[in-house]
Amino acid sequence: MNFISALLSNLNYPAIFFLMLLESTVVPVPSEFVVTPAAYHAAGGSMNVLLIILFATLGADVGASINYFVAKYVGRPVVYRFANSRLGHLCLLNQEKVERSERYFDQHGVAATLTGRFVPVIRHLISIPAGLARMNYPKFLLFTTIGAGGWHTVLAALGWYLHAIVPEDQLNDKIVEYAEYIKIAIVALLLVAVAYFVARRCLRRSK
């Protein structure tokens, strides 16, 4: 954890890539405290915000791919055993969270790998049920890239916006505050989208 703290306090493109790789596996690295501060400093001219989004998304792709292939080839019993292990608990992982991600994948199909990137808790685990289901890998990677890229763009926009109104010593507190608003808005939008597609499907069946 000291190593991760050191990376968080000295953000550069390789650090962003590596931290987002970890976040997309099972290591609890909150993307809000990586991409948003990096974009905050990019607004001051020290980094390029587009490269921040690019390296963050590439890291997420690699991390998600690790989860995908591990789940695909070791199977559910081993995944659950790890989730219930001491190491799994140190990573803030448990069987309930894995099962929740599986239910989300079952309910939303392959598109869950895209929409799941915006959902707390589900975000870094959605690649596990995709691997267990042996989802087509190119499609998995495409949806993961779009979802992760969209999420990182939202976080980068937040960091850029906060640079204009918040001094650096208040940045972390404001990230926590605004991140909650963003999560609520995203969940609300996803619920509306799900309701729309369910209603559309029901109308088609009735016809």
Side-chain angles (χ1 to χ4, degrees):
M1 287 299 178
N2 289 335
F3 174 64
I4 293 176
S5 298
L7 289 177
L8 286 169
S9 61
N10 296 281
L11 287 173
N12 52 40
Y13 301 123
I16 292 167
F17 171 88
F18 183 67
L19 289 168
M20 291 301 89
L21 182 157
L22 292 180
E23 193 227 13
S24 285
T25 55
V26 294
V27 181
V29 179
S31 51
E32 295 91 333
F33 291 100
V34 178
V35 179
T36 307
Y40 181 94
H41 292 115
S46 60
M47 299 178 78
N48 183 300
V49 71
L50 294 179
L51 288 178
I52 289 170
I53 295 170
L54 174 63
F55 277 89
T57 302
L58 289 174
D61 282 345
V62 174
S65 295
I66 291 172
N67 270 8
Y68 171 91
F69 284 112
V70 168
K72 180 177 180 179
Y73 290 112
V74 305
R76 187 174 284 102
V78 177
V79 170
Y80 282 3
R81 197 176 306 134
F82 174 77
N84 291 323
S85 69
R86 181 175 298 180
L87 179 57
H89 291 163
L90 284 174
C91 294
L92 304 182
L93 190 64
N94 56 48
Q95 184 171 327
E96 181 185 352
K97 288 182 179 179
V98 178
E99 289 175 341
R100 192 186 312 173
S101 69
E102 288 194 81
R103 286 194 298 270
Y104 187 89
F105 185 86
D106 291 340
Q107 291 167 1
H108 299 86
V110 294
T113 54
L114 190 160
T115 60
R117 302 300 305 190
F118 294 88
V119 181
V121 181
I122 300 296
R123 182 181 308 122
H124 69 293
L125 298 179
I126 194 61
S127 49
I128 292 177
L132 292 174
R134 298 181 176 271
M135 177 181 174
N136 175 269
Y137 179 70
K139 184 179 289 187
F140 164 80
L141 187 60
L142 174 63
F143 284 9
T144 297
T145 301
I146 295 171
W151 174 241
H152 295 147
T153 299
V154 169
L155 294 181
L158 174 62
W160 193 276
Y161 166 73
L162 290 177
H163 184 269
I165 62 170
V166 175
E168 189 168 358
D169 61 345
Q170 298 177 20
L171 179 59
N172 285 349
D173 291 337
K174 286 297 180 181
I175 289 174
V176 173
E177 179 183 339
Y178 279 81
E180 286 302 313
Y181 297 148
I182 290 172
K183 288 174 185 176
I184 292 170
I186 287 173
V187 170
L189 287 173
L190 289 174
L191 289 174
V192 170
V194 169
Y196 169 77
F197 285 112
V198 169
R200 187 176 175 184
R201 181 176 296 180
C202 290
L203 285 172
R204 282 181 177 176
R205 286 181 179 178
S206 65
K207 289 179 181 180

